Amino acid sequence: YHSRDLELVLAAPVSPGQLFFARFLTVCLSSSWMVFIFAFPAIAGFGQAYGAGTWYYTLAALLLIPYFILASSLSTLLTAVCASLIPARRTHGTILAVTVLLLGAFLYMLVVLLPASSAANTEQILYFLSIISATNNLWAPSYWLATPLGEILQSSGRSMSPYIVLLVSSAAAAFSLAYISVRLLHRR
């Protein structure tokens, strides 16, 4: 958003919407290919182990699309907001300062919440680690992706549609919000 050739690109005979969609597609593909490469063996392995049919693989491929769009949309939104708030010459220093502050806050939480004096603190450490590593959260997009796939592999009678609707609608909302923010924050 602050590149030197931005004026040249904006002067091209393409609409801002076409520019956004082309750039978004590039970002989405370049940020998602590795996740797909690492997820594919796991998805294939679960399908093979549970004897899943083609519906499982089709649904997995279809649900990965909004999952990737959601992540790319949120990163585009964050980038657009940061680019509008932080001057281009200060981006590196600002990101470094925020990273150091967040790391310091995390270390401070560890020191304050977990004094290292007794064996009982081992239980506190494990409890703390279980809290910060809880991935089975109902409001996490990864949960919305995994639940329908798990339901196909081993049916528990739970409906898949709320999770699919949550994933797709969240991706659509995040994409729309990213598009609107880029259009509003980076006008010609």
Side-chain angles (χ1 to χ4, degrees), residues 175-187:
F175 179 80
S176 300
L177 193 59
Y179 176 74
I180 291 167
S181 69
V182 168
R183 287 296 303 263
L184 291 177
L185 296 174
H186 300 283
R187 295 181 188 201

Side-chain angles (χ1 to χ4, degrees), residues 70-86:
L70 179 60
S72 297
S73 297
L74 293 176
S75 65
T76 300
L77 176 65
L78 181 66
T79 301
V81 170
C82 288
S84 69
L85 296 176
I86 302 169

Side-chain angles (χ1 to χ4, degrees), residues 18-106:
Q18 290 174 324
L19 180 63
F20 174 81
F21 292 124
R23 186 73 182 125
F24 181 82
L25 183 63
T26 303
V27 167
C28 190
L29 291 176
S30 67
S31 64
S32 302
W33 69 270
M34 189 178 297
V35 176
F36 178 76
I37 293 216
F38 280 101
F40 179 74
I43 290 170
F46 279 116
Q48 183 71 25
Y50 284 91
T54 56
W55 173 238
Y56 168 77
Y57 297 106
T58 304
L59 186 66
L62 290 175
L63 288 180
L64 281 174
I65 294 169
Y67 185 72
F68 293 148
I69 288 173
L70 179 60
S72 297
S73 297
L74 293 176
S75 65
T76 300
L77 176 65
L78 181 66
T79 301
V81 170
C82 288
S84 69
L85 296 176
I86 302 169
R89 291 180 293 279
R90 298 184 186 262
T91 304
H92 179 72
T94 305
I95 291 174
L96 182 63
V98 168
T99 303
V100 168
L101 286 174
L102 289 175
L103 183 61
F106 181 73

